[in-house]
Amino acid sequence: MTKKRRSQNWYGKLDKDGFIHRSWMKNQGFPDHAFDGRPIIGICNTWSELTPCNSGLRDLAEAVKRGVWEAGGFPVEFPVMSLGETQMKPTAMLFRNLLAMDVEESIRAYGIDGVVLLGGCDKTTPGQLMGAASVDLPSIVVSSGPMLNGKWKGKDIGSGTDVWKFSEAVRAGEMTLQDFMAAESGMSRSKGVCMTMGTASTMASIVEAMGMSLPTNAALPAVDARRAALAHLTGKRIVEMVDEDLKPSDIMTKETFINAIKANAAVGGSTNAVVHLLALAGRVGVDLSLSDFELGSDIPLLVNCMPSGKYLMEDFCYAGGMPVVLKELADAGHLTSAKTVLGGDISAYADGAECYNDDVIKSFTDPVKPAAGLRVLRGNLAPNGAIVKPSAASDHLLEHEAEAYVFENIEDMKANIDRDDLPVTPDTILVLKGVGPKGYPGMPEVGNMPIPAKLVREGVRDMIRISDGRMSGTAFGTVILHVSPESQAGGTLGLVKTGDKIRVSASTGALDLLVDDAEMETRRAAWTPDDPHYTRGYAKLYIDTVLQAEQGADLDFLVGKDTRLVTRESH
């Protein structure tokens, strides 16, 4: 062996400290030769029964272990915080950075040489990657995979996307509560993440496009035996990566992030990818800005999946998955050369890719929608930027000027959205304050506000909605998100009043509040922030140190990395 492994600083010492490290591990039945200097591989598992999307990760961990043993490594599984998007209050996003801290410090503190990241539910993937990137040991991702297609009354239904549709139909009197409850039982039929192109499947797709997983990771269903085989191969590959010293910093370059942005556009991916990629870039030291996401604005929508299309992830898998999308991007000159966990170029992920259903995965010459990537909006209402997802929006609302109706906070919105006398029309622009990183806190997925009940009954299903929050990747509509600075941080959004006119232009990237400067200065002088909702614990730390959306909403002291070896012993 030419290079001493990191783990030998724990298990290779012939002294009291080495005795302690080895002896206590041996109570699990590991023999002497397991500590002979072979690579020790950490399996970072976000399995939890409170995170249904990740409930299959126990089985995948066993498959990873088989691959590690086969390749001559020593697998050790360890738990980290699990973020259940559908179960956590006030929002899983509040805890993404806490998971990243958990992952970073676990990797740093333990005697491992490489790590396999097992995640799925949408905040777990970026949280794990952020933590791993800050330690910069060889790392690779295995996603939990999407659920099987939902089924109800003989048709496919999609998690999230159809929840929003069915909920509005009940409010409009077009769907019975009995049918609504029956659909609930048919929507989630297996382990796995949302089978729409929500944030979880978006992040799995992006991870594959970034070369941080093996090919086909994004779309194989959670219960498909091929996902367990992929996990086995991943376990084998991470041992080789340790031998090659192939680290996240070698893979996640600026070119990799540009590929991710374009892939996100092609799959109709979640708006949440913006804050996650920005935060991840901050960890690896890549200069990525909100403006870079405009590189995806002219990429056509190729994947015909909900919420931007009609199919689901199971269909995407059977049609050929991400390798087909990467092939389309490569053939059109939109895939930049970049290294992957396999050590070669990302173009190899597209080798031999074949589309088996061209209604599910379209071509550049016949896309679902042309130029459908995310749009970055700026103006006096969002000096530091905001975003909108045209592929999930109504075309006629992407160029619009109208009066605003303002909800001061989420409680105001919930208390008044169904009022019959709410003074709104289909042209009104709904504005929601106080749902940004500091304000909520955690920047929740509430930006896709319900349509006012009186308009729902009239058949209205979309309006412009503006907030400093996020929306689920499964959601749809003309929803303007991530307005920065947020209202709680003194942003212009906090000064908007009902009756003000707002102008939106996706084509020119404009988002402006049409109020004269003198009036704005008067309002600004009278403005004060709301009292914080939390005054202790991690939430206080988050509120005090969280960055704004255009910086990825990471904590300011976590940006960057620390790759130093811990040398001080515990005894």
Side-chain angles (χ1 to χ4, degrees), residues 131-139 245 247-250 284 561-563:
S134 288
V135 188
D136 206 27
L137 292 187
S139 305
D245 196 28
K247 304 180 298 296
S249 59
D250 300 317
V284 295
K561 58 189 174 184
D562 182 355
T563 61

Side-chain angles (χ1 to χ4, degrees), residues 191-257:
K191 296 175 182 179
V193 303
C194 294
M195 82 299 282
T196 47
M197 189 59 76
T199 306
S201 289
T202 294
M203 293 310 299
S205 299
I206 283 176
V207 161
E208 187 173 335
M210 295 177 80
M212 281 300 298
S213 73
L214 294 183
T216 73
N217 173 72
L220 287 169
V223 294
D224 194 312
R226 291 173 294 177
R227 183 161 290 280
L230 182 77
H232 183 125
L233 292 171
T234 300
K236 185 172 180 290
R237 178 57 194 157
I238 188 62
V239 175
E240 297 165 350
M241 289 174 65
V242 169
D243 287 338
E244 297 164 10
D245 196 28
L246 182 58
K247 304 180 298 296
S249 59
D250 300 317
I251 298 167
M252 290 191 284
T253 61
K254 181 65 176 281
E255 291 76 16
T256 300
F257 282 94

Side-chain angles (χ1 to χ4, degrees), residues 5 196 507:
R5 299 196 191 282
T196 47
S507 63

Side-chain angles (χ1 to χ4, degrees), residues 483-562:
V483 170
S484 182
E486 65 173 297
S487 53
Q488 181 69 1
T492 306
L493 186 72
L495 309 179
V496 182
K497 293 184 177 182
T498 294
D500 289 347
K501 281 197 169 183
I502 294 174
R503 179 185 300 133
V504 176
S505 175
S507 63
T508 63
L511 180 61
D512 290 304
L513 177 64
L514 305 182
V515 174
D516 67 64
D517 292 343
E519 171 62 17
M520 291 303 297
E521 286 306 311
T522 300
R523 293 184 191 183
R524 196 173 297 280
W527 178 85
T528 56
D530 293 335
D531 292 334
H533 288 268
Y534 293 86
T535 56
R536 65 178 303 278
Y538 168 73
K540 182 184 188 313
L541 176 68
Y542 179 97
I543 292 169
D544 290 346
T545 64
V546 70
L547 299 169
Q548 288 293 287
E550 80 280 3
Q551 295 174 290
D554 201 356
L555 305 187
D556 57 15
F557 62 90
L558 291 177
V559 175
K561 58 189 174 184
D562 182 355

